[in-house]
Amino acid sequence: MTRINVRVDGVTYTDEVEPRTLLVHYLREQLGKTGTVVGCDTSNCGACTVHLDGRSVKSCNVLALQADGHEVTTIEGLATDGRLHPMQQAFHECHALQCGYCTPGMIMQAIDVLNENPKPSEQEIREGLEGNLCRCTGYHNIVKAVQQVAGTGEGERA
Amino acid sequence: MIPVQFDYAAPTTLQEALGVLAEAGEDAKVIAGGQSLLPILRMRLNAPEKVVDLGRIEELRGITDEGSHLVIGAMTTYADVLASSAVRDHAALLVEAVKTVADPQIRHRGTVGGALVHADPAGDVGAPALALGAEFVITGPGGERTVPADEFFRDLFETAVGEGELLTRIRVPKHTGWGAHYEKFVRVAHQWSIVAVGATVRVDGGSIAEARVGLTNMGSTPLRATAVEQALVGRPATEEAVREACAAAAEGTDPPSDLNGSADYRRHLATVLTRRAVLAAAGA
Ligand SMILES: Cc1cc2nc3c(=O)[nH]c(=O)nc-3n(C[C@H](O)[C@H](O)[C@H](O)COP(=O)(O)OP(=O)(O)OC[C@H]3O[C@@H](n4cnc5c(N)ncnc54)[C@H](O)[C@@H]3O)c2cc1C
Ligand code: FES
Ligand code: FES
């Protein structure tokens, strides 16, 4: 076992982990943050996406130990005072989910896309979400939700 | 799945890392961004006893300008490369290739050094590094040595980096003002290259003065299309002239046959993609 110090969703944790523990398993099983999900075994699906020091990563492909001393934000850390984050709100309003399995990762990556480029084109949004798979929506409403937050949706262009 | 149990070390200096590696011998495995290694460990295709994390060694990360060369630390991430104006100005081909790697999440973690040492023949940074004539600085217990690109890639997943050694940085000769394009052929988004071609050219007065062309997934290592490079020199940057010069792109290659395409199909792709890459690089 090795000791780690990580700040997750604004709270500092000190924990003992096995070196082989993946960040996603640490979040879900040791911290009980089951909002972040596992959707594949190959690091392709993006369902497990969280932010590590403000940049999106696939938490199934990072060791918990690699997050030692760093800051993690999960889908559970987005809402403030019971109010949804604008991206969560937009997913809700645009009907950007069906089964919802991809949604935590999709939202975390969508936020990263806008952090990098606040006014992306539709193509740039689609490319930015390339590492997140959705088996239900066909992506259309997901792209719409991101455009709504960016203020670049239909009828919103000046 | 999760990896088999291992011990973990996170040295903070290069010297310390080399010491840990020397002590652990063949039972140790280095982890950089982990974007190739962790999937391998999770699938239990490998089970090292010790994992040595390079992530806390500051001296291995970053891009510096050394006049005639750019020096890129092994732990420099794909995202760092994309954010670097120096790389865009002096080694644009690298930027064009890195843009096509995987997805943003993986580009935030994956490193240039990890990708080069992993040496997947379908990986997208090897051919550009080769085409740009990069030099690879390898450090081991006995000190440092520099290996030219054409001696670095040995075979499938095999490079000049030996046991107990680390790739510490690559030195990329500046190609300032050269146009560049990486033409990656895939069938679906988020796929590894079926074939890809990186081209960088210097255009002078409407004709190609110098050209470098690297091929991805056309053999067990990245390859350089030297016959095409020579044939391009002095030609006008027009479709017709470039098409003729690129006809030889598959010469001397040994592409794989797999579910994505036969070797013959890949040879055909190589000529088409080389033409597209060269024309785009020449701004034609
Ligand atoms: C879903 C997915 C899609 C991908 N798609 C692509 C793609 O389209 N194109 C592409 O090119 N790649 C792709 N990759 C691979 C990705 O580019 C990897 O990040 C990269 O190949 C490895 O870099 P890393 O820093 O993560 O290395 P790691 O995974 O940490 O290490 C890779 C290997 O190199 C060794 N190593 C690492 N650094 C050093 C060093 N400095 N000295 C000595 N040995 C070292 C390690 O021991 C290990 O054997 C993909 C990966 C995934 C998971
Ligand atoms: S669970 Fe991490 S990418 Fe699928
Ligand atoms: S809503 Fe079902 S996978 Fe995206």
Side-chain angles (χ1 to χ4, degrees), chain A residues 113-133:
Chain A
V113 169
L114 296 190
N115 284 346
E116 278 275 286
N117 177 2
K119 296 281 173 205
S121 65
E122 177 181 339
Q123 182 66 21
E124 288 168 335
I125 294 171
R126 289 182 182 275
E127 283 172 6
L129 298 175
E130 188 175 14
N132 293 70
L133 303 180

Side-chain angles (χ1 to χ4, degrees), chain A residues 3-51:
Chain A
R3 179 179 299 257
I4 57 170
N5 273 292
V6 207
R7 204 167 159 78
V8 183
D9 295 337
V11 177
T12 303
Y13 298 87
T14 301
D15 274 306
E16 300 279 328
V17 297
E18 281 182 0
R20 63 172 170 173
T21 308
L22 302 173
L23 179 58
V24 69
H25 292 136
Y26 172 68
L27 295 171
R28 288 176 57 82
E29 288 159 28
Q30 268 179 270
L31 302 188
K33 290 189 171 277
T34 51
T36 302
V37 295
V38 176
C40 74
D41 235 347
T42 51
S43 297
N44 277 285
C45 79
C48 65
T49 301
V50 301
H51 294 179

Side-chain angles (χ1 to χ4, degrees), chain A residues 96-103 133-137 142:
Chain A
L97 57 144
Q98 290 178 25
C99 81
Y101 204 83
C102 69
T103 311
L133 303 180
C134 175
R135 309 311 310 249
C136 305
T137 64
I142 292 174

Side-chain angles (χ1 to χ4, degrees), chain B residues 11-265:
Chain B
T12 54
T13 65
L14 179 58
Q15 276 318 312
E16 195 189 334
L18 291 170
V20 175
L21 285 174
E23 201 176 308
E26 62 177 17
D27 298 327
K29 195 83 188 146
V30 160
I31 188 167
Q35 300 305 291
S36 289
L37 184 65
L38 286 174
I40 289 169
L41 298 188
R42 279 152 47 204
M43 286 190 252
R44 305 203 169 182
L45 298 172
N46 198 336
E49 281 175 21
K50 183 158 217 154
V51 170
V52 183
D53 187 353
L54 304 183
R56 309 208 179 248
I57 308 178
E58 277 305 315
E59 62 195 290
L60 290 182
R61 185 163 175 177
I63 298 161
T64 47
D65 189 326
E66 282 193 0
S68 60
H69 288 70
L70 286 183
V71 180
I72 304 179
M75 288 299 291
T76 305
T77 63
Y78 292 128
D80 293 338
V81 168
L82 293 179
S84 160
S85 57
V87 183
R88 197 171 337 113
D89 291 346
H90 304 300
L93 182 56
L94 216 44
V95 175
E96 294 304 310
V98 165
K99 272 188 202 163
T100 74
V101 171
D103 55 51
Q105 293 98 314
I106 288 167
R107 294 196 295 267
H108 287 151
R109 297 289 298 167
T111 67
V112 171
L116 291 168
V117 178
H118 187 60
D120 189 314
D124 294 302
V125 273
L130 181 64
L132 289 167
E135 297 169 337
F136 293 69
V137 182
I138 298 171
T139 310
E144 208 170 85
R145 63 198 173 96
T146 300
V147 175
D150 54 5
E151 291 171 23
F152 182 77
F153 299 101
R154 294 274 171 83
D155 204 344
L156 286 175
F157 304 105
E158 202 184 309
T159 70
V161 179
E163 191 186 306
E165 291 188 321
L166 292 171
L167 176 66
T168 43
R169 57 193 185 278
I170 62 168
R171 294 168 43 81
V172 185
K174 282 189 182 172
H175 287 67
T176 315
W178 291 47
H181 186 74
Y182 190 71
E183 187 76 16
K184 174 168 174 172
F185 186 79
V186 291
R187 283 182 215 283
V188 295
H190 200 244
Q191 198 183 7
W192 289 79
S193 287
I194 296 173
V195 173
V197 178
T200 188
V201 302
R202 186 168 66 79
V203 177
D204 195 3
S207 64
I208 295 171
E210 288 179 275
R212 303 281 179 270
V213 178
L215 309 176
T216 300
N217 215 13
M218 285 297 289
S220 57
T221 65
L223 296 171
R224 196 159 151 183
T226 35
V228 175
E229 292 177 358
Q230 283 156 15
L232 283 168
V233 174
R235 283 181 191 257
T238 62
E239 168 99 26
E240 209 180 326
V242 168
R243 177 190 297 268
E244 202 184 26
C246 295
E251 231 169 63
T253 63
D254 184 18
S257 283
D258 58 29
L259 282 177
N260 287 314
S262 65
D264 272 348
Y265 177 60

Side-chain angles (χ1 to χ4, degrees), chain A residues 137-148:
Chain A
T137 64
Y139 304 98
H140 184 76
N141 287 353
I142 292 174
V143 174
K144 254 171 63 182
V146 183
Q147 287 175 321
Q148 176 171 313

